[in-house]
Short mmCIF file of all heavy atoms in Angstrom, two decimals:
data_model
loop_
_atom_site.label_atom_id
_atom_site.label_comp_id
_atom_site.label_asym_id
_atom_site.label_seq_id
_atom_site.Cartn_x
_atom_site.Cartn_y
_atom_site.Cartn_z
N LYS A 228 -11.84 4.07 2.60
CA LYS A 228 -10.96 4.37 3.86
C LYS A 228 -11.63 5.07 4.86
O LYS A 228 -11.25 5.09 6.03
CB LYS A 228 -9.67 4.86 3.49
CG LYS A 228 -8.72 4.00 2.59
CD LYS A 228 -7.46 4.76 2.32
CE LYS A 228 -6.49 3.87 1.37
NZ LYS A 228 -5.22 4.47 1.17
N ASP A 229 -12.64 5.91 4.48
CA ASP A 229 -13.35 6.84 5.38
C ASP A 229 -14.70 6.35 5.82
O ASP A 229 -15.33 5.61 5.06
CB ASP A 229 -13.44 8.19 4.63
CG ASP A 229 -12.07 8.82 4.35
OD1 ASP A 229 -11.22 8.73 5.14
OD2 ASP A 229 -11.98 9.26 3.17
N THR A 230 -15.25 6.73 6.85
CA THR A 230 -16.60 6.63 7.20
C THR A 230 -17.44 7.56 6.38
O THR A 230 -17.04 8.80 6.23
CB THR A 230 -16.83 6.92 8.81
OG1 THR A 230 -16.12 5.94 9.42
CG2 THR A 230 -18.18 6.78 9.01
N VAL A 231 -18.54 7.07 5.83
CA VAL A 231 -19.27 7.86 4.94
C VAL A 231 -20.67 8.22 5.63
O VAL A 231 -21.27 7.26 6.23
CB VAL A 231 -19.59 7.13 3.54
CG1 VAL A 231 -20.59 7.88 2.69
CG2 VAL A 231 -18.33 6.92 2.74
N LYS A 232 -21.25 9.38 5.49
CA LYS A 232 -22.46 9.81 5.96
C LYS A 232 -23.42 10.20 4.88
O LYS A 232 -23.12 10.68 3.85
CB LYS A 232 -22.37 11.05 6.86
CG LYS A 232 -21.29 10.86 8.08
CD LYS A 232 -21.74 10.01 9.17
CE LYS A 232 -20.87 10.02 10.33
NZ LYS A 232 -21.47 9.23 11.48
N ILE A 233 -24.60 9.65 5.03
CA ILE A 233 -25.83 10.12 4.27
C ILE A 233 -26.51 11.28 4.89
O ILE A 233 -26.91 11.04 5.99
CB ILE A 233 -26.71 8.87 3.94
CG1 ILE A 233 -25.95 7.63 3.34
CG2 ILE A 233 -27.80 9.28 2.88
CD1 ILE A 233 -25.23 7.85 1.99
N VAL A 234 -26.71 12.30 4.14
CA VAL A 234 -27.31 13.58 4.79
C VAL A 234 -28.48 13.87 3.92
O VAL A 234 -28.63 13.58 2.80
CB VAL A 234 -26.28 14.67 4.74
CG1 VAL A 234 -25.01 14.31 5.64
CG2 VAL A 234 -25.90 15.14 3.43
N ASN A 235 -29.28 14.75 4.62
CA ASN A 235 -30.48 15.48 3.94
C ASN A 235 -30.12 16.77 3.34
O ASN A 235 -28.93 17.05 3.33
CB ASN A 235 -31.66 15.45 4.85
CG ASN A 235 -31.31 16.37 6.01
OD1 ASN A 235 -30.52 17.19 6.02
ND2 ASN A 235 -32.35 16.30 7.05
N GLU A 236 -31.10 17.40 2.75
CA GLU A 236 -30.95 18.66 2.23
C GLU A 236 -30.33 19.77 3.13
O GLU A 236 -29.67 20.72 2.67
CB GLU A 236 -32.15 19.33 1.55
CG GLU A 236 -32.69 18.47 0.32
CD GLU A 236 -33.42 17.26 0.74
OE1 GLU A 236 -33.52 17.02 2.00
OE2 GLU A 236 -33.80 16.49 -0.10
N GLU A 237 -30.59 19.63 4.32
CA GLU A 237 -29.96 20.55 5.34
C GLU A 237 -28.56 20.19 5.98
O GLU A 237 -28.10 20.86 6.81
CB GLU A 237 -30.97 20.79 6.57
CG GLU A 237 -32.24 21.54 6.25
CD GLU A 237 -33.17 20.63 5.59
OE1 GLU A 237 -33.33 19.50 5.89
OE2 GLU A 237 -33.94 21.08 4.69
N GLY A 238 -28.12 19.04 5.35
CA GLY A 238 -26.79 18.68 5.87
C GLY A 238 -26.87 17.82 7.09
O GLY A 238 -25.72 17.57 7.75
N ILE A 239 -28.04 17.37 7.49
CA ILE A 239 -28.17 16.58 8.68
C ILE A 239 -27.93 15.03 8.35
O ILE A 239 -28.53 14.62 7.52
CB ILE A 239 -29.59 16.77 9.37
CG1 ILE A 239 -29.82 18.24 9.62
CG2 ILE A 239 -29.68 16.00 10.69
CD1 ILE A 239 -28.81 18.94 10.65
N VAL A 240 -27.15 14.42 9.21
CA VAL A 240 -26.90 12.99 9.02
C VAL A 240 -28.17 12.17 9.11
O VAL A 240 -28.79 12.20 10.18
CB VAL A 240 -25.70 12.48 9.92
CG1 VAL A 240 -25.66 11.01 9.85
CG2 VAL A 240 -24.36 13.35 9.66
N MET A 241 -28.37 11.39 8.16
CA MET A 241 -29.56 10.48 8.20
C MET A 241 -29.11 9.09 8.33
O MET A 241 -30.01 8.30 8.88
CB MET A 241 -30.44 10.65 6.76
CG MET A 241 -30.75 12.07 6.44
SD MET A 241 -31.82 12.76 7.78
CE MET A 241 -33.34 11.76 7.57
N GLU A 242 -28.00 8.65 7.92
CA GLU A 242 -27.58 7.33 7.98
C GLU A 242 -26.07 7.20 7.87
O GLU A 242 -25.49 8.07 7.22
CB GLU A 242 -28.18 6.54 6.85
CG GLU A 242 -27.84 5.19 6.76
CD GLU A 242 -28.42 4.48 5.50
OE1 GLU A 242 -29.17 5.12 4.73
OE2 GLU A 242 -28.03 3.22 5.32
N THR A 243 -25.44 6.29 8.62
CA THR A 243 -24.02 6.02 8.42
C THR A 243 -23.90 4.52 8.03
O THR A 243 -24.07 3.61 8.66
CB THR A 243 -23.29 6.14 9.87
OG1 THR A 243 -23.50 7.50 10.28
CG2 THR A 243 -21.80 5.90 9.65
N PRO A 244 -23.68 4.38 6.69
CA PRO A 244 -23.53 2.94 6.19
C PRO A 244 -22.35 2.18 6.77
O PRO A 244 -21.33 2.88 7.20
CB PRO A 244 -23.23 3.16 4.65
CG PRO A 244 -23.68 4.55 4.41
CD PRO A 244 -23.43 5.40 5.61
N ASN A 245 -22.49 0.93 6.77
CA ASN A 245 -21.30 0.17 7.25
C ASN A 245 -20.20 0.33 6.20
O ASN A 245 -20.31 -0.01 5.03
CB ASN A 245 -21.80 -1.39 7.20
CG ASN A 245 -20.74 -2.33 7.70
OD1 ASN A 245 -19.52 -2.06 7.82
ND2 ASN A 245 -21.18 -3.53 8.16
N ARG A 246 -18.95 0.75 6.77
CA ARG A 246 -17.93 1.04 5.88
C ARG A 246 -17.41 -0.10 5.18
O ARG A 246 -16.92 0.00 4.01
CB ARG A 246 -16.75 1.67 6.81
CG ARG A 246 -15.57 2.07 5.88
CD ARG A 246 -14.61 2.98 6.56
NE ARG A 246 -13.89 2.16 7.68
CZ ARG A 246 -13.03 2.54 8.54
NH1 ARG A 246 -12.75 3.78 8.53
NH2 ARG A 246 -12.42 1.72 9.33
N ASP A 247 -17.63 -1.41 5.59
CA ASP A 247 -17.16 -2.59 4.97
C ASP A 247 -17.98 -2.82 3.65
O ASP A 247 -17.56 -3.55 2.80
CB ASP A 247 -17.36 -3.77 5.90
CG ASP A 247 -16.51 -3.81 7.13
OD1 ASP A 247 -15.51 -2.98 6.99
OD2 ASP A 247 -16.85 -4.52 8.03
#
Side-chain angles (χ1 to χ4, degrees):
K228 294 181 179 181
D229 301 313
T230 297
V231 175
K232 302 286 186 181
I233 307 299
V234 302
N235 64 15
E236 290 78 4
E237 287 80 39
I239 304 298
V240 174
M241 304 298 291
E242 181 185 355
T243 303
N245 183 342
R246 189 171 66 182
D247 293 341

